[in-house]
Amino acid sequence: MPCEVKPRFLVLYGSQKGQAQSIAEGIADEAEERGLVADIYCLSEGGKFNLEKESAPVVFVVSTTGDGDPPDTALKFVKNIKKKTLPSDHYSHLCYALIALGDTNYENFCNCGKTIDGRLQELGAKHFYATGHADDVTDVKLHLMKAASETGSSVLETQSGAPSAVVEASLTCSLPPLSESVLNVPALPPAYLDVTLQEATIEEETSAPVSKETLHEVPISRAVQLTRDDSAKTALLIELDISPGDSLDVLCPNRASEVGELLQRLCLQDQRSHRVQLSLRKDTKKKAAHLPSYIPENSTLTYMLTWSLELRTVPKKAFLRSLVECTEDSGERRRLQELCSKQGSADYNLYVRDPSLGVLDLLRAFPACQPPLSLLIEHLPKLQPRPYSAASSSFRHPGQLHFVFNVIEFPACTWRPTGRQGLCTGWLSDLVNPILLNPRKAQPSTTPTLPKVFVSLRENCSFRLPSDLSKPLIMIGPGTGVAPFIGFLQQREKEREENPEAEFGETWLFFGCRHRDRDFLFREELQGFVGKGTLNHLKVCFSRDTQMGTETKTGPRYVQHNLLLHAKDLTNLLLKENGYLYVCGDAKNMAKDVNETLIEMISAELQLDKLDAMKRLAGLREEKHYLQDIWC
Ligand code: FAD
């Protein structure tokens, strides 16, 4: 089966009475039988392994002794990892699983394992399999599932006189009642595409998309890192030489490594330059079946996988249902059926949707599953360009458009042991790396060639400044949500310069981030707007700064808390002075919380019950006085 297998892994044990050692040895033996090489050491043999440089998966088996103490052989190791001087990313390269042994009769059950586990997490290490807490009291079999290989090619199962682990469900493993349920599985989606691959005579370019009619290829003139290196998120500002719009769509390719892995997984690497010819199956039962218009005729297989299909999309249940038919392995068939069934909805959400698994992650987890190319084309959607809001105004930057984004980071999980970045934001981040300006670092002395991106511009007719300059503006944009307001304020500044006699409405901006010193985006520019009177009220809150000087922080944590502090002024501006309220940024949490807070504020201010306050807010939305530019 073509899948990437890490041949070596490391087993470390901390044993008092030999139990942890014997389990660790059992794991190593089993692994070797399955073609993996296991290095096994006691935690006291510090000179023989080096976790600081370890790139293979590590399995820890540790017992607990006394009143929750580490076994003697693990004392030094525990002491070392507890050192406060270690940076929070000390073990960020490390991918591990841990079995903690203990006795439920003691209060500090599995304490040593829990301590090591917690500390490894604090130091950035990632689980590749959920921690097992084993109980010495009962004497039943221990399962350590999918323990060693990055791609999940091995299942280790240690049996006999060993203590029992709390077996946990995972993407590939279910527990009762689900594993014993009768399942309601959706109907098999009818196949509708025939695919043939034809040898191409000319090598095709895959570095650029073909449909360039609506796309502009533009140089990135400047890229700046706005956050400090120790910030939880990395925010980048990109400046393009292009006539401005309100927002833009960036078309990014799928990663070459993922395209390559998929080709290999489908056993199609030798046909990567073949042309894909699609036709509708004559006998298809699918209603209104049609060829996907976003796959250009005669494109090569590599081109199609690079520019046409969204490989990262979370596979829908219908896709999982179809995959059932592509594996002969009864365990895989059952688990895929469970994941797409009504009864398995919670598992689907937990193991597929929430960790944002893609088709490749899924195929790694189900190695016997061999779908045909046609199935992927039927189920993977079009690769969508990513929209970004403009963070600049043509008044200040004619011929330019700036945008700001966070590089999305997906944490590692069992089937994605190394973690990954968002498709577009990771790609942009790599692309601008040679020209990236980091105000806190020395800049490159040479001038590299400017990278280019394919973009299309978009107009947003409603999320704009009102034409009536005298209307008050309330802008709410934490994190990268501040982007359009930078453009608004640049425009307002110019309007103030050009209309010195005009009456301008009050301007408020609510911004929020984690730390004042790490991720306060556009700090100087915003303070500059305040200095010039363009921005009358800048309200900022920091969600993770617990100490302000020597005093404990008591101020607002999130933007909505700050809104409440100014509820009277804001409702007055909005309801009595006919102001405009803009919200930009995260739709899932922030925009929802702000909406709830606005209802609360209106309800309190106008003495309305919740339903009437909601109606009043809906009215403001309809009149386009409450505007949102939000995304998930
Ligand atoms: P993908 O690989 O596509 O993964 C994104 C998916 O990851 C999301 O669907 C979500 O389910 C999940 N996810 C997990 N964590 C996060 C997280 N922290 N943030 C987002 N998604 C997460 N983004 C900006 O940074 N700046 C902007 O100005 C901006 N403007 C937008 C305007 C509009 C109208 C819309 C619709 C979106 C805007 N976005 C903006 C979001 C942007 O288009 C992308 O979705 C985002 O940059 C992630 O793209 P990606 O390809 O890197 O991630």
Side-chain angles (χ1 to χ4, degrees), residues 283-311:
D283 57 351
T284 184
K285 301 256 173 349
K286 184 178 165 69
K287 289 198 185 110
H290 58 268
L291 296 178
S293 57
Y294 43 87
I295 301 178
E297 251 178 70
N298 275 326
S299 49
T300 65
L301 186 49
T302 302
Y303 178 91
M304 180 187 77
L305 295 178
T306 306
W307 292 104
S308 305
L309 300 176
E310 181 87 56
L311 302 187

PDB file of all heavy atoms in Angstrom, residues 283-311:
ATOM      1  N   ASP A 283     -25.031   5.316 -17.782  1.00  0.00           N
ATOM      2  CA  ASP A 283     -26.024   4.633 -16.951  1.00  0.00           C
ATOM      3  C   ASP A 283     -26.211   5.302 -15.589  1.00  0.00           C
ATOM      4  O   ASP A 283     -26.789   4.706 -14.687  1.00  0.00           O
ATOM      5  CB  ASP A 283     -25.556   3.183 -16.732  1.00  0.00           C
ATOM      6  CG  ASP A 283     -24.162   3.147 -16.108  1.00  0.00           C
ATOM      7  OD1 ASP A 283     -23.520   4.220 -16.023  1.00  0.00           O
ATOM      8  OD2 ASP A 283     -23.714   2.058 -15.686  1.00  0.00           O
ATOM      9  N   THR A 284     -25.715   6.533 -15.434  1.00  0.00           N
ATOM     10  CA  THR A 284     -25.775   7.118 -14.086  1.00  0.00           C
ATOM     11  C   THR A 284     -27.206   7.364 -13.618  1.00  0.00           C
ATOM     12  O   THR A 284     -28.070   7.744 -14.404  1.00  0.00           O
ATOM     13  CB  THR A 284     -24.966   8.428 -13.991  1.00  0.00           C
ATOM     14  OG1 THR A 284     -25.017   8.867 -12.632  1.00  0.00           O
ATOM     15  CG2 THR A 284     -25.522   9.525 -14.873  1.00  0.00           C
ATOM     16  N   LYS A 285     -27.400   7.153 -12.317  1.00  0.00           N
ATOM     17  CA  LYS A 285     -28.724   7.393 -11.723  1.00  0.00           C
ATOM     18  C   LYS A 285     -28.770   8.801 -11.124  1.00  0.00           C
ATOM     19  O   LYS A 285     -29.778   9.209 -10.578  1.00  0.00           O
ATOM     20  CB  LYS A 285     -28.980   6.376 -10.599  1.00  0.00           C
ATOM     21  CG  LYS A 285     -28.927   4.929 -11.025  1.00  0.00           C
ATOM     22  CD  LYS A 285     -30.336   4.385 -11.126  1.00  0.00           C
ATOM     23  CE  LYS A 285     -30.521   3.005 -11.692  1.00  0.00           C
ATOM     24  NZ  LYS A 285     -29.475   2.293 -12.333  1.00  0.00           N
ATOM     25  N   LYS A 286     -27.657   9.499 -11.205  1.00  0.00           N
ATOM     26  CA  LYS A 286     -27.620  10.834 -10.590  1.00  0.00           C
ATOM     27  C   LYS A 286     -28.462  11.792 -11.428  1.00  0.00           C
ATOM     28  O   LYS A 286     -28.303  11.858 -12.659  1.00  0.00           O
ATOM     29  CB  LYS A 286     -26.180  11.332 -10.531  1.00  0.00           C
ATOM     30  CG  LYS A 286     -26.038  12.662  -9.809  1.00  0.00           C
ATOM     31  CD  LYS A 286     -24.576  13.076  -9.734  1.00  0.00           C
ATOM     32  CE  LYS A 286     -24.385  14.520  -9.373  1.00  0.00           C
ATOM     33  NZ  LYS A 286     -24.745  14.845  -8.006  1.00  0.00           N
ATOM     34  N   LYS A 287     -29.312  12.538 -10.725  1.00  0.00           N
ATOM     35  CA  LYS A 287     -30.163  13.486 -11.447  1.00  0.00           C
ATOM     36  C   LYS A 287     -29.330  14.712 -11.791  1.00  0.00           C
ATOM     37  O   LYS A 287     -28.511  15.156 -11.000  1.00  0.00           O
ATOM     38  CB  LYS A 287     -31.332  13.899 -10.563  1.00  0.00           C
ATOM     39  CG  LYS A 287     -32.318  12.783 -10.390  1.00  0.00           C
ATOM     40  CD  LYS A 287     -33.660  13.308  -9.895  1.00  0.00           C
ATOM     41  CE  LYS A 287     -34.552  12.122  -9.632  1.00  0.00           C
ATOM     42  NZ  LYS A 287     -34.825  11.899  -8.229  1.00  0.00           N
ATOM     43  N   ALA A 288     -29.608  15.280 -12.950  1.00  0.00           N
ATOM     44  CA  ALA A 288     -28.937  16.509 -13.412  1.00  0.00           C
ATOM     45  C   ALA A 288     -27.419  16.419 -13.299  1.00  0.00           C
ATOM     46  O   ALA A 288     -26.757  17.374 -12.880  1.00  0.00           O
ATOM     47  CB  ALA A 288     -29.452  17.707 -12.622  1.00  0.00           C
ATOM     48  N   ALA A 289     -26.891  15.269 -13.632  1.00  0.00           N
ATOM     49  CA  ALA A 289     -25.424  15.121 -13.575  1.00  0.00           C
ATOM     50  C   ALA A 289     -24.785  16.010 -14.639  1.00  0.00           C
ATOM     51  O   ALA A 289     -25.311  16.147 -15.744  1.00  0.00           O
ATOM     52  CB  ALA A 289     -25.051  13.663 -13.831  1.00  0.00           C
ATOM     53  N   HIS A 290     -23.697  16.669 -14.273  1.00  0.00           N
ATOM     54  CA  HIS A 290     -22.979  17.451 -15.280  1.00  0.00           C
ATOM     55  C   HIS A 290     -21.485  17.424 -14.991  1.00  0.00           C
ATOM     56  O   HIS A 290     -21.062  17.180 -13.862  1.00  0.00           O
ATOM     57  CB  HIS A 290     -23.510  18.881 -15.376  1.00  0.00           C
ATOM     58  CG  HIS A 290     -23.432  19.611 -14.078  1.00  0.00           C
ATOM     59  ND1 HIS A 290     -24.473  19.627 -13.180  1.00  0.00           N
ATOM     60  CD2 HIS A 290     -22.432  20.323 -13.518  1.00  0.00           C
ATOM     61  CE1 HIS A 290     -24.107  20.324 -12.127  1.00  0.00           C
ATOM     62  NE2 HIS A 290     -22.876  20.758 -12.298  1.00  0.00           N
ATOM     63  N   LEU A 291     -20.717  17.712 -16.028  1.00  0.00           N
ATOM     64  CA  LEU A 291     -19.262  17.699 -15.867  1.00  0.00           C
ATOM     65  C   LEU A 291     -18.849  18.913 -15.046  1.00  0.00           C
ATOM     66  O   LEU A 291     -19.415  19.994 -15.225  1.00  0.00           O
ATOM     67  CB  LEU A 291     -18.583  17.758 -17.238  1.00  0.00           C
ATOM     68  CG  LEU A 291     -18.822  16.577 -18.166  1.00  0.00           C
ATOM     69  CD1 LEU A 291     -18.123  16.806 -19.504  1.00  0.00           C
ATOM     70  CD2 LEU A 291     -18.297  15.289 -17.530  1.00  0.00           C
ATOM     71  N   PRO A 292     -17.886  18.765 -14.162  1.00  0.00           N
ATOM     72  CA  PRO A 292     -17.456  19.939 -13.383  1.00  0.00           C
ATOM     73  C   PRO A 292     -16.815  20.993 -14.283  1.00  0.00           C
ATOM     74  O   PRO A 292     -15.811  20.725 -14.937  1.00  0.00           O
ATOM     75  CB  PRO A 292     -16.436  19.363 -12.394  1.00  0.00           C
ATOM     76  CG  PRO A 292     -16.169  17.977 -12.809  1.00  0.00           C
ATOM     77  CD  PRO A 292     -17.194  17.538 -13.795  1.00  0.00           C
ATOM     78  N   SER A 293     -17.446  22.168 -14.301  1.00  0.00           N
ATOM     79  CA  SER A 293     -17.016  23.216 -15.244  1.00  0.00           C
ATOM     80  C   SER A 293     -15.651  23.796 -14.868  1.00  0.00           C
ATOM     81  O   SER A 293     -14.988  24.414 -15.677  1.00  0.00           O
ATOM     82  CB  SER A 293     -18.042  24.335 -15.254  1.00  0.00           C
ATOM     83  OG  SER A 293     -18.162  24.810 -13.930  1.00  0.00           O
ATOM     84  N   TYR A 294     -15.252  23.593 -13.613  1.00  0.00           N
ATOM     85  CA  TYR A 294     -13.998  24.212 -13.148  1.00  0.00           C
ATOM     86  C   TYR A 294     -12.774  23.374 -13.480  1.00  0.00           C
ATOM     87  O   TYR A 294     -11.662  23.746 -13.134  1.00  0.00           O
ATOM     88  CB  TYR A 294     -14.085  24.479 -11.638  1.00  0.00           C
ATOM     89  CG  TYR A 294     -14.685  23.332 -10.865  1.00  0.00           C
ATOM     90  CD1 TYR A 294     -13.893  22.288 -10.417  1.00  0.00           C
ATOM     91  CD2 TYR A 294     -16.054  23.301 -10.618  1.00  0.00           C
ATOM     92  CE1 TYR A 294     -14.454  21.219  -9.731  1.00  0.00           C
ATOM     93  CE2 TYR A 294     -16.618  22.232  -9.937  1.00  0.00           C
ATOM     94  CZ  TYR A 294     -15.824  21.201  -9.493  1.00  0.00           C
ATOM     95  OH  TYR A 294     -16.367  20.147  -8.824  1.00  0.00           O
ATOM     96  N   ILE A 295     -12.987  22.232 -14.132  1.00  0.00           N
ATOM     97  CA  ILE A 295     -11.813  21.456 -14.570  1.00  0.00           C
ATOM     98  C   ILE A 295     -11.631  21.701 -16.059  1.00  0.00           C
ATOM     99  O   ILE A 295     -12.449  21.255 -16.873  1.00  0.00           O
ATOM    100  CB  ILE A 295     -11.995  19.949 -14.293  1.00  0.00           C
ATOM    101  CG1 ILE A 295     -12.217  19.739 -12.785  1.00  0.00           C
ATOM    102  CG2 ILE A 295     -10.799  19.152 -14.797  1.00  0.00           C
ATOM    103  CD1 ILE A 295     -12.465  18.316 -12.369  1.00  0.00           C
ATOM    104  N   PRO A 296     -10.607  22.448 -16.438  1.00  0.00           N
ATOM    105  CA  PRO A 296     -10.454  22.767 -17.854  1.00  0.00           C
ATOM    106  C   PRO A 296     -10.273  21.507 -18.694  1.00  0.00           C
ATOM    107  O   PRO A 296      -9.636  20.548 -18.232  1.00  0.00           O
ATOM    108  CB  PRO A 296      -9.184  23.627 -17.896  1.00  0.00           C
ATOM    109  CG  PRO A 296      -8.903  24.017 -16.509  1.00  0.00           C
ATOM    110  CD  PRO A 296      -9.549  23.016 -15.606  1.00  0.00           C
ATOM    111  N   GLU A 297     -10.853  21.547 -19.868  1.00  0.00           N
ATOM    112  CA  GLU A 297     -10.739  20.390 -20.765  1.00  0.00           C
ATOM    113  C   GLU A 297      -9.278  20.094 -21.022  1.00  0.00           C
ATOM    114  O   GLU A 297      -8.480  21.024 -21.197  1.00  0.00           O
ATOM    115  CB  GLU A 297     -11.404  20.734 -22.098  1.00  0.00           C
ATOM    116  CG  GLU A 297     -12.704  19.982 -22.307  1.00  0.00           C
ATOM    117  CD  GLU A 297     -13.359  20.370 -23.597  1.00  0.00           C
ATOM    118  OE1 GLU A 297     -12.813  20.011 -24.656  1.00  0.00           O
ATOM    119  OE2 GLU A 297     -14.391  21.077 -23.519  1.00  0.00           O
ATOM    120  N   ASN A 298      -8.959  18.850 -21.069  1.00  0.00           N
ATOM    121  CA  ASN A 298      -7.603  18.423 -21.414  1.00  0.00           C
ATOM    122  C   ASN A 298      -6.530  18.823 -20.424  1.00  0.00           C
ATOM    123  O   ASN A 298      -5.349  18.851 -20.757  1.00  0.00           O
ATOM    124  CB  ASN A 298      -7.192  18.964 -22.786  1.00  0.00           C
ATOM    125  CG  ASN A 298      -7.689  18.038 -23.867  1.00  0.00           C
ATOM    126  OD1 ASN A 298      -7.731  16.819 -23.654  1.00  0.00           O
ATOM    127  ND2 ASN A 298      -8.074  18.603 -24.990  1.00  0.00           N
ATOM    128  N   SER A 299      -6.919  19.185 -19.210  1.00  0.00           N
ATOM    129  CA  SER A 299      -5.850  19.535 -18.260  1.00  0.00           C
ATOM    130  C   SER A 299      -5.151  18.250 -17.806  1.00  0.00           C
ATOM    131  O   SER A 299      -5.734  17.171 -17.837  1.00  0.00           O
ATOM    132  CB  SER A 299      -6.381  20.322 -17.075  1.00  0.00           C
ATOM    133  OG  SER A 299      -7.492  19.704 -16.532  1.00  0.00           O
ATOM    134  N   THR A 300      -3.922  18.402 -17.406  1.00  0.00           N
ATOM    135  CA  THR A 300      -3.193  17.209 -16.952  1.00  0.00           C
ATOM    136  C   THR A 300      -3.657  16.862 -15.539  1.00  0.00           C
ATOM    137  O   THR A 300      -4.240  17.697 -14.835  1.00  0.00           O
ATOM    138  CB  THR A 300      -1.674  17.440 -16.906  1.00  0.00           C
ATOM    139  OG1 THR A 300      -1.419  18.428 -15.921  1.00  0.00           O
ATOM    140  CG2 THR A 300      -1.111  17.849 -18.251  1.00  0.00           C
ATOM    141  N   LEU A 301      -3.341  15.663 -15.146  1.00  0.00           N
ATOM    142  CA  LEU A 301      -3.729  15.205 -13.818  1.00  0.00           C
ATOM    143  C   LEU A 301      -3.122  16.109 -12.741  1.00  0.00           C
ATOM    144  O   LEU A 301      -3.799  16.537 -11.799  1.00  0.00           O
ATOM    145  CB  LEU A 301      -3.240  13.759 -13.670  1.00  0.00           C
ATOM    146  CG  LEU A 301      -3.632  12.993 -12.440  1.00  0.00           C
ATOM    147  CD1 LEU A 301      -5.109  13.086 -12.176  1.00  0.00           C
ATOM    148  CD2 LEU A 301      -3.209  11.535 -12.590  1.00  0.00           C
ATOM    149  N   THR A 302      -1.843  16.436 -12.897  1.00  0.00           N
ATOM    150  CA  THR A 302      -1.193  17.302 -11.907  1.00  0.00           C
ATOM    151  C   THR A 302      -1.844  18.678 -11.886  1.00  0.00           C
ATOM    152  O   THR A 302      -2.093  19.247 -10.822  1.00  0.00           O
ATOM    153  CB  THR A 302       0.312  17.445 -12.206  1.00  0.00           C
ATOM    154  OG1 THR A 302       0.872  16.156 -12.209  1.00  0.00           O
ATOM    155  CG2 THR A 302       1.009  18.300 -11.173  1.00  0.00           C
ATOM    156  N   TYR A 303      -2.142  19.202 -13.047  1.00  0.00           N
ATOM    157  CA  TYR A 303      -2.786  20.524 -13.099  1.00  0.00           C
ATOM    158  C   TYR A 303      -4.122  20.478 -12.358  1.00  0.00           C
ATOM    159  O   TYR A 303      -4.428  21.345 -11.534  1.00  0.00           O
ATOM    160  CB  TYR A 303      -2.999  20.970 -14.560  1.00  0.00           C
ATOM    161  CG  TYR A 303      -3.703  22.300 -14.596  1.00  0.00           C
ATOM    162  CD1 TYR A 303      -2.975  23.485 -14.620  1.00  0.00           C
ATOM    163  CD2 TYR A 303      -5.094  22.378 -14.516  1.00  0.00           C
ATOM    164  CE1 TYR A 303      -3.619  24.706 -14.582  1.00  0.00           C
ATOM    165  CE2 TYR A 303      -5.750  23.586 -14.471  1.00  0.00           C
ATOM    166  CZ  TYR A 303      -5.002  24.748 -14.509  1.00  0.00           C
ATOM    167  OH  TYR A 303      -5.643  25.954 -14.444  1.00  0.00           O
ATOM    168  N   MET A 304      -4.915  19.450 -12.664  1.00  0.00           N
ATOM    169  CA  MET A 304      -6.248  19.361 -12.052  1.00  0.00           C
ATOM    170  C   MET A 304      -6.144  19.296 -10.528  1.00  0.00           C
ATOM    171  O   MET A 304      -6.876  19.985  -9.817  1.00  0.00           O
ATOM    172  CB  MET A 304      -6.976  18.131 -12.585  1.00  0.00           C
ATOM    173  CG  MET A 304      -8.355  17.964 -11.994  1.00  0.00           C
ATOM    174  SD  MET A 304      -9.097  16.404 -12.477  1.00  0.00           S
ATOM    175  CE  MET A 304      -8.228  15.273 -11.411  1.00  0.00           C
ATOM    176  N   LEU A 305      -5.209  18.489 -10.036  1.00  0.00           N
ATOM    177  CA  LEU A 305      -5.085  18.356  -8.580  1.00  0.00           C
ATOM    178  C   LEU A 305      -4.460  19.605  -7.960  1.00  0.00           C
ATOM    179  O   LEU A 305      -4.620  19.869  -6.773  1.00  0.00           O
ATOM    180  CB  LEU A 305      -4.259  17.114  -8.220  1.00  0.00           C
ATOM    181  CG  LEU A 305      -4.875  15.771  -8.614  1.00  0.00           C
ATOM    182  CD1 LEU A 305      -3.937  14.622  -8.254  1.00  0.00           C
ATOM    183  CD2 LEU A 305      -6.230  15.554  -7.926  1.00  0.00           C
ATOM    184  N   THR A 306      -3.735  20.370  -8.753  1.00  0.00           N
ATOM    185  CA  THR A 306      -3.084  21.573  -8.219  1.00  0.00           C
ATOM    186  C   THR A 306      -4.022  22.782  -8.210  1.00  0.00           C
ATOM    187  O   THR A 306      -4.039  23.545  -7.244  1.00  0.00           O
ATOM    188  CB  THR A 306      -1.826  21.908  -9.048  1.00  0.00           C
ATOM    189  OG1 THR A 306      -0.993  20.753  -9.097  1.00  0.00           O
ATOM    190  CG2 THR A 306      -1.042  23.067  -8.449  1.00  0.00           C
ATOM    191  N   TRP A 307      -4.795  22.962  -9.269  1.00  0.00           N
ATOM    192  CA  TRP A 307      -5.535  24.216  -9.412  1.00  0.00           C
ATOM    193  C   TRP A 307      -7.052  24.082  -9.415  1.00  0.00           C
ATOM    194  O   TRP A 307      -7.756  25.089  -9.355  1.00  0.00           O
ATOM    195  CB  TRP A 307      -5.128  24.935 -10.715  1.00  0.00           C
ATOM    196  CG  TRP A 307      -3.735  25.452 -10.702  1.00  0.00           C
ATOM    197  CD1 TRP A 307      -2.664  24.907 -11.331  1.00  0.00           C
ATOM    198  CD2 TRP A 307      -3.249  26.624 -10.026  1.00  0.00           C
ATOM    199  NE1 TRP A 307      -1.541  25.654 -11.091  1.00  0.00           N
ATOM    200  CE2 TRP A 307      -1.869  26.721 -10.295  1.00  0.00           C
ATOM    201  CE3 TRP A 307      -3.849  27.602  -9.223  1.00  0.00           C
ATOM    202  CZ2 TRP A 307      -1.071  27.754  -9.792  1.00  0.00           C
ATOM    203  CZ3 TRP A 307      -3.063  28.631  -8.723  1.00  0.00           C
ATOM    204  CH2 TRP A 307      -1.686  28.693  -9.001  1.00  0.00           C
ATOM    205  N   SER A 308      -7.574  22.861  -9.555  1.00  0.00           N
ATOM    206  CA  SER A 308      -9.027  22.771  -9.743  1.00  0.00           C
ATOM    207  C   SER A 308      -9.786  22.228  -8.540  1.00  0.00           C
ATOM    208  O   SER A 308     -10.920  22.634  -8.298  1.00  0.00           O
ATOM    209  CB  SER A 308      -9.357  21.874 -10.943  1.00  0.00           C
ATOM    210  OG  SER A 308      -8.697  22.333 -12.083  1.00  0.00           O
ATOM    211  N   LEU A 309      -9.186  21.310  -7.804  1.00  0.00           N
ATOM    212  CA  LEU A 309      -9.943  20.642  -6.741  1.00  0.00           C
ATOM    213  C   LEU A 309      -9.439  21.049  -5.363  1.00  0.00           C
ATOM    214  O   LEU A 309      -8.232  21.182  -5.150  1.00  0.00           O
ATOM    215  CB  LEU A 309      -9.811  19.117  -6.871  1.00  0.00           C
ATOM    216  CG  LEU A 309     -10.303  18.497  -8.176  1.00  0.00           C
ATOM    217  CD1 LEU A 309     -10.021  17.000  -8.185  1.00  0.00           C
ATOM    218  CD2 LEU A 309     -11.794  18.741  -8.359  1.00  0.00           C
ATOM    219  N   GLU A 310     -10.371  21.234  -4.450  1.00  0.00           N
ATOM    220  CA  GLU A 310     -10.025  21.596  -3.068  1.00  0.00           C
ATOM    221  C   GLU A 310      -9.658  20.300  -2.327  1.00  0.00           C
ATOM    222  O   GLU A 310     -10.538  19.546  -1.908  1.00  0.00           O
ATOM    223  CB  GLU A 310     -11.254  22.264  -2.446  1.00  0.00           C
ATOM    224  CG  GLU A 310     -11.094  22.738  -1.043  1.00  0.00           C
ATOM    225  CD  GLU A 310     -10.535  24.135  -0.909  1.00  0.00           C
ATOM    226  OE1 GLU A 310     -11.087  25.089  -1.466  1.00  0.00           O
ATOM    227  OE2 GLU A 310      -9.513  24.249  -0.230  1.00  0.00           O
ATOM    228  N   LEU A 311      -8.370  20.028  -2.198  1.00  0.00           N
ATOM    229  CA  LEU A 311      -7.947  18.766  -1.570  1.00  0.00           C
ATOM    230  C   LEU A 311      -8.134  18.797  -0.055  1.00  0.00           C
ATOM    231  O   LEU A 311      -8.267  17.775   0.588  1.00  0.00           O
ATOM    232  CB  LEU A 311      -6.467  18.476  -1.867  1.00  0.00           C
ATOM    233  CG  LEU A 311      -6.048  18.385  -3.330  1.00  0.00           C
ATOM    234  CD1 LEU A 311      -4.588  17.933  -3.430  1.00  0.00           C
ATOM    235  CD2 LEU A 311      -6.929  17.437  -4.107  1.00  0.00           C
TER     236      LEU A 311
END
